[in-house]
Amino acid sequence: MTVPGARLLEGGAIAAEIRTAVAEDVATFAAGQGRAPGLRVVIVGKDAPSTVYLERILRGCAKVGIGAGFVELEGEATEAKVTATVRELNADPTVDGVIVQMPLPGTIRLRAVIDAIDPGKDIDGIHPLNAGLLRLGYDGFLPATAHAAVEILRRSAIEIEGRDAVVVGRSAVVGMPAAFLLVKEDATVTVCHRRTRDLAGHVRRADIVVVAAGRPGLITGAMLKPGAVVVDVGINVVDGHLVGDVDFETARQVASAITPVPGGVGPLTNALLLTHLIRAAERQAAERAAGQSSPMPFEAAASRGDR
Ligand code: NAD
């Protein structure tokens, strides 16, 4: 017997489409401003996973003509040194976006660093102003992963409006922003977390399941409602292989559509980060031309699906 299996929601083709649009915007920006838009990634101490992530960002930027680089601080750097570095980048008119690579060493308060980022350059949406704009349903910069989790549904023509969605995970950078975005898309949303009593019961009622827990195999096919759409945000290394939080083989036999890991949310995350960067660059250039500065990001550029 052959099992039909779920439709695969792959991020690669969507990401390529987005990169083509961004490359055009980057060329227009560069022609008008006489320089490429610029991104700086602040990295404190080097560990292997963040190096891989960093290289991926730099490669993605190079492909579309964004001038990206990193500022590397020693692992023993103080909080004052990190925040001073971020402020220097805030003040540099050739830097349009700033990302601070997480995790930071335990001696540095995350909040102090996040607060130091200029919200207008906060292209991964971690500053409280951008988090607050999302919470209120306004357009600020979105955390790229949460953005990708919902954008992959929109771009795959999956209906969100009116449907029951469960988000597994409530982190400030993935779970909660994904939940707020789904609410904004008119889904009815339940957020589950490690203290949720009946995870399977909640998941079984959901038309859309977004999983961002960092637990391989947490969601299995047996927990899903037949025909559910599954977005697997998890990235875990098991026996040297990259896997998500969803048990793919059982889930794909019950779901109507599912994102693979790798190749689902990940590629889209990187592409969307580029859209955030060009949007930040365009906005700052417009502000400079108008001789003003405002901490409120512009409304979304809908043509790039950037919302
Ligand atoms: P996190 O550790 O900050 O948060 C995990 C969340 O999952 C918590 O809210 C926790 O309550 C919940 N959780 C943990 N175990 C659970 C369980 N047994 N049942 C229900 N809920 C449970 O992690 P994060 O930063 O939000 O990342 C989540 C996952 O997404 C990780 O696998 C991470 O690697 C991945 N991630 C992917 C991308 C991407 O581009 N695809 C980017 C960032 C993070």
Side-chain angles (χ1 to χ4, degrees), residues 170-208:
R170 60 174 165 184
S171 74
V173 287
V174 191
M176 290 312 296
F180 286 128
L181 279 172
L182 287 166
V183 169
K184 198 172 172 193
E185 294 287 334
D186 295 321
T188 302
V189 181
T190 302
V191 178
C192 297
H193 47 78
R194 71 177 90 242
R195 302 261 181 258
T196 295
R197 294 222 172 119
D198 181 15
L199 179 65
H202 289 288
V203 169
R204 195 162 297 120
R205 282 190 289 277
D207 304 306
I208 296 171

Side-chain angles (χ1 to χ4, degrees), residues 83 86-87 90 100 102 109-119 126-129:
T83 53
V86 168
R87 290 203 176 90
N90 288 345
V100 179
M102 305 294 169
R109 287 172 306 162
L110 181 62
R111 181 68 200 270
V113 176
I114 289 177
D115 284 354
I117 302 173
D118 176 347
I126 62 173
H127 187 279
L129 178 74

Side-chain angles (χ1 to χ4, degrees), residues 54-65:
L54 178 67
E55 279 163 6
R56 211 170 287 160
I57 292 179
L58 297 187
R59 262 207 315 276
C61 286
K63 271 191 202 159
V64 298

